[in-house]
Amino acid sequence: MNRIEALKRGDPSITRMEYETNREGFFAFLRKLGASEESLADRYQDAFIILLENIRKGRLDQLEARLSTYLFAIGKYSYFNSKKQPDLIPLDENSEVRLSWDPFTDSLPEGFTEKLEQQFRLLGLKCQEILKAFYYTGLKLDEIVSNMGYENKETAKSQKSRCLQQLKKQLRS
């Protein structure tokens, strides 16, 4: 059985091995891009979680590159996107929630799920529909195009991106 299948099954020994094997290389890569030392561990955890989610959803079943290459690309895009956005989302005037967490030890911060659900309900129905289809149901963009009547994959991708940005903006306010 290959590593992707083992990770999809949730094999803890393979997950831990992949996590530890790629960590230092990832740190070195992001240092070259200019990431701060304080942010490296958080960025790695976020990228690793995204990698595992994409494996679980079957998005990497036909991956031709190495897992580390894919993981590093997630980190690179995350780093460049973060230069536009802060690392913290205020829940209210007295608390903040860090967007990164360790899937091996941490649970989501108290109140975050309720805040997310509340802000999600404030989105328009079209945004709710596309975000649910992509993130909750795990549909691929091609499936969303055919199921929801978007003109093409790029239109659906743009709509999903706008809706996600709107949700993030609402979470920050």
Side-chain angles (χ1 to χ4, degrees):
M1 174 173 299
N2 70 30
R3 290 181 302 168
I4 291 178
E5 285 301 317
L7 290 167
K8 190 183 279 189
R9 277 193 357 259
D11 183 318
S13 64
I14 298 294
T15 303
R16 176 64 68 184
M17 182 194 73
E18 285 297 325
Y19 185 86
E20 292 172 358
T21 299
N22 292 301
R23 185 178 166 106
E24 290 308 314
F26 183 93
F27 282 18
F29 177 70
L30 283 188
R31 280 184 193 111
K32 288 180 184 176
L33 295 176
S36 69
E37 287 296 317
E38 303 83 44
S39 72
L40 293 176
D42 288 342
R43 290 186 192 288
Y44 184 65
Q45 290 168 1
D46 291 344
F48 198 78
I49 290 166
I50 291 168
L51 172 77
L52 292 176
E53 276 297 305
N54 286 339
I55 288 171
R56 186 187 62 78
K57 291 177 180 178
R59 293 185 179 149
L60 301 184
D61 289 347
Q62 304 301 319
L63 182 67
E64 294 180 16
R66 294 183 315 177
L67 277 177
S68 60
T69 303
Y70 188 83
L71 180 64
F72 288 22
I74 294 169
K76 178 176 89 172
Y77 290 112
S78 170
Y79 171 71
F80 288 127
N81 284 336
S82 73
K83 296 185 98 32
K84 302 174 196 170
Q85 303 170 15
D87 278 347
L88 300 175
I89 295 177
L91 282 178
D92 57 40
E93 60 277 348
N94 299 320
S95 66
E96 293 179 331
V97 174
R98 215 167 247 295
L99 290 178
S100 59
W101 53 283
D102 184 344
F104 298 109
T105 60
D106 296 342
S107 60
L108 286 173
E110 185 178 328
F112 182 78
T113 304
E114 293 79 14
K115 175 78 172 178
L116 179 61
E117 288 173 358
Q118 175 189 28
Q119 295 304 314
F120 183 80
R121 285 191 297 271
L122 296 176
L123 292 174
L125 292 178
K126 194 121 176 127
C127 279
Q128 289 180 24
E129 187 178 45
I130 194 168
L131 292 176
K132 277 183 189 175
F134 189 79
Y135 292 105
Y136 183 73
T137 310
L139 294 180
K140 295 183 179 181
L141 284 174
D142 293 328
E143 297 168 310
I144 290 172
V145 167
S146 63
N147 292 350
M148 298 174 69
Y150 284 97
E151 186 176 316
N152 56 45
K153 188 175 177 178
E154 290 305 312
T155 304
K157 184 177 179 181
S158 294
Q159 178 66 28
K160 178 186 72 73
S161 178
R162 281 191 299 272
C163 292
L164 188 58
Q165 290 304 318
Q166 182 180 348
L167 181 59
K168 287 179 180 179
K169 183 179 178 182
Q170 288 175 204
L171 285 167
R172 284 189 204 101
S173 62

